[in-house]
Amino acid sequence: MRYLTRAILALFFGALGAGAGAQSLTDLNEQMFRDMQEVRGVTGAEIRRIRQIFSGSSYIGQGNPGPTRHPLTPQEAAQRLGGSVSAVQNSYRNAQWERICGGRYRAPLYDPATQSPSDATVCVDMFEYPNVPMVYPVVWVRANEAHALCAAEGGRIGDAHEWEGAAAGALLPPDYRFDLGSQQAMRSWHNNHYANTRNQYSIGQWRSGVCATGSFKNASCNGGSFSGCGSNTYPAGSFPQCHSPLGAYDIDGNAAEHMNLPLNESQMASRGSTTLGVTEMKGSWFIWDTVRAHEHWARWRAPFWHGTRVLASNSHRNYHLGFRCFHDVN
């Protein structure tokens, strides 16, 4: 029955998208898989594992094509940057980082005060998943699905301190006060500890229009429904100035991003945990510049929004929530 329901939903939303002059969600996902192989070099075996994860959901993709209204097409975004889609994609490649990180469109994470890129023990995807410039980010994905999709390529979900280090431009040692005993107490200590960095974003001081923050919420988006809410994201890398000092793009703006918040040492993804902690979510066009819904800065840690364990089957998903993967350096 579950699979029949998925099939009916897929047909319904595919028809809805087709009626709006768009391709179906399935067609768009297949095009994305081709982009991942051709541009990023994802293997056929990895794509088969990824396709299997996508097949378990009627939602995962670049947004429901019915209500989604992307502000720019990939071609328009590339034209604004002065080239073709393929030329812009090539411009984002970094041979040194590829050697360090073992794959395209990954940036090494380290502390520039004491280290160089070659000292990195972990790399971050430069862009939100599927980590291909000029391709829209994946949304409507649960945290456990994000974890599985990263693992399908030998990567993993990032710990909160890694995401924050990628945003702030310096990967610092883990700073979790596990002894405080709750997410709320840990969050309060963390945000007070980094209060002097409150105005630090991936781009330094906030400047309107530098990142992918100019999107909008559909008038039909009441309550966050799949049928009414478009993802309305920009192609990854549409804003070349929107990057952290370590080379993480769109970490402010575009989609929000899942990460792992460990509540004890045994839940740290960065130390090989397979049990993981609870969900942490940050970023998104939804915040700046059109809807200033809450506070946000590079090392800010969020309230326990829609909180569950990362691996829970009912972890949160929505129209502007995606993720990016992290990769341990061998």
Side-chain angles (χ1 to χ4, degrees):
M1 183 58 132
R2 181 177 57 180
Y3 299 104
L4 179 59
T5 301
R6 286 177 184 153
I8 292 170
L9 281 169
L11 285 171
F12 172 76
F13 289 120
L16 181 62
Q23 293 175 282
S24 72
L25 185 63
T26 299
D27 290 339
L28 292 170
N29 285 343
E30 287 299 323
Q31 178 58 57
M32 182 182 68
F33 298 151
R34 289 192 291 273
D35 290 333
M36 293 170 70
Q37 286 189 279
E38 294 169 8
V39 182
R40 189 155 64 77
V42 180
T43 69
E46 290 168 339
I47 289 294
R48 285 192 290 274
R49 292 194 290 269
I50 291 165
R51 188 180 279 110
Q52 186 173 19
I53 296 163
F54 270 68
S55 71
S57 170
S58 300
Y59 295 82
I60 301 179
Q62 296 156 313
N64 177 5
T68 291
R69 299 293 181 267
H70 296 294
L72 292 173
T73 67
Q75 292 74 23
E76 289 168 340
Q79 212 168 38
R80 289 200 335 168
L81 299 179
S84 65
V85 169
S86 60
V88 172
Q89 289 169 335
N90 284 331
S91 74
Y92 277 115
R93 292 190 60 178
N94 184 308
Q96 180 194 16
W97 291 359
E98 289 180 21
R99 287 193 298 271
I100 293 170
C101 297
R104 297 176 197 168
Y105 305 123
R106 298 175 187 173
L109 297 183
Y110 59 99
D111 183 359
T114 58
Q115 297 175 310
S116 65
S118 60
D119 295 315
T121 59
V122 63
C123 295
V124 64
D125 282 356
M126 291 170 60
F127 305 98
E128 294 154 335
Y129 191 89
N131 192 32
V132 180
M134 298 292 101
V135 170
Y136 301 113
V138 162
V139 292
W140 286 107
V141 58
R142 298 192 191 277
N144 65 321
E145 294 164 336
H147 164 72
L149 288 165
C150 290
E153 296 185 53
R156 59 174 174 80
I157 198 166
D159 285 336
H161 80 279
E162 295 177 303
W163 191 97
E164 291 158 3
L171 179 61
L172 303 180
D175 57 353
Y176 308 105
R177 285 291 306 274
F178 298 132
D179 59 298
L180 296 177
S182 72
Q183 186 273 346
Q184 293 84 354
M186 290 169 59
R187 172 182 181 266
S188 179
W189 177 88
H190 175 92
N191 287 350
N192 287 333
H193 183 71
Y194 288 105
N196 65 329
T197 67
R198 188 173 295 273
N199 293 318
Q200 180 185 3
Y201 301 85
S202 66
I203 58 173
Q205 294 294 302
W206 189 258
R207 306 183 303 282
S208 295
V210 175
C211 293
T213 53
S215 198
F216 64 95
K217 186 175 180 178
N218 296 66
S220 60
C221 186
N222 183 11
S225 71
F226 184 72
S227 60
C229 300
S231 70
N232 304 342
T233 50
Y234 291 81
S238 295
F239 294 80
Q241 292 182 304
C242 185
H243 65 83
S244 80
L246 295 183
Y249 287 79
D250 298 335
I251 208 161
D252 287 307
N254 234 15
E257 299 178 26
H258 283 293
M259 63 204 78
N260 175 56
L261 179 63
L263 298 183
N264 60 62
E265 194 166 354
S266 70
Q267 296 177 352
M268 294 177 67
S270 55
R271 296 187 180 173
S273 173
T274 57
T275 57
L276 301 178
V278 296
T279 52
E280 172 82 353
M281 296 168 268
K282 289 194 282 244
S284 176
W285 60 259
F286 187 79
I287 305 310
W288 310 98
D289 292 314
T290 53
V291 182
R292 303 214 167 189
H294 58 71
E295 191 174 12
H296 170 72
W297 32 286
R299 294 196 188 275
W300 176 75
R301 205 157 281 174
F304 200 33
W305 294 321
H306 308 288
T308 66
R309 292 294 296 268
V310 168
L311 297 182
S313 60
N314 65 337
S315 58
H316 186 60
R317 63 185 173 195
N318 70 34
Y319 59 97
H320 61 97
L321 176 57
F323 67 103
R324 73 179 71 212
C325 298
F326 291 70
H327 307 266
D328 294 311
V329 177
N330 298 323

